[in-house]
Amino acid sequence: MSNTRPYTTRFTKSRGGTTIGYCQFGSGPDLILVHGGMQSSQNFTRLAIALSDAFTVYVPDRRGRGLSGPHGESYGLERECEDIQSLIAQTGAQNLLA
């Protein structure tokens, strides 16, 4: 059995300096998958693998989860949007599924 992961782990910095970790799968047109409030990026692993033949799939961990930094001060929807904007700026992705 192989221990090779089907993705690479990467990081970006949000506007306020919070580290946002994400997994990158496959190749093709870019697609960001954003998990819900009671989940982490691991909840999208199977979907990302299924899509990875046709897309480059980015699956970030939202703040306070997995590879990403803590919620921090002034946490809210605005910080969440800044986090995704930093991922878009780093990857150039134009497609998002939330």
Side-chain angles (χ1 to χ4, degrees):
M1 179 178 239
S2 173
N3 288 332
T4 304
R5 289 188 267 176
Y7 60 88
T8 56
T9 302
R10 301 184 187 274
F11 299 90
T12 188
K13 290 278 188 186
S14 190
R15 181 176 167 202
T18 300
T19 297
I20 303 300
Y22 63 95
C23 298
Q24 179 179 331
F25 299 77
S27 62
D30 297 320
L31 173 63
I32 298 173
L33 301 178
V34 181
H35 63 79
M38 299 300 288
Q39 299 177 333
S40 70
S41 64
Q42 293 173 332
N43 293 94
F44 278 153
T45 300
R46 286 177 43 184
L47 177 59
I49 290 169
L51 294 169
S52 67
D53 286 340
F55 295 93
T56 300
V57 183
Y58 304 100
V59 188
D61 272 314
R62 290 172 55 195
R63 287 180 185 225
R65 298 164 184 88
L67 300 168
S68 293
H71 290 110
E73 293 184 31
S74 303
Y75 173 73
L77 187 57
E78 187 174 344
R79 298 293 88 75
E80 293 274 356
C81 290
E82 290 172 359
D83 297 346
I84 297 302
Q85 289 170 343
S86 70
L87 181 57
I88 291 169
Q90 182 162 315
T91 65
Q94 297 181 2
N95 300 295
L96 183 127
L97 174 68

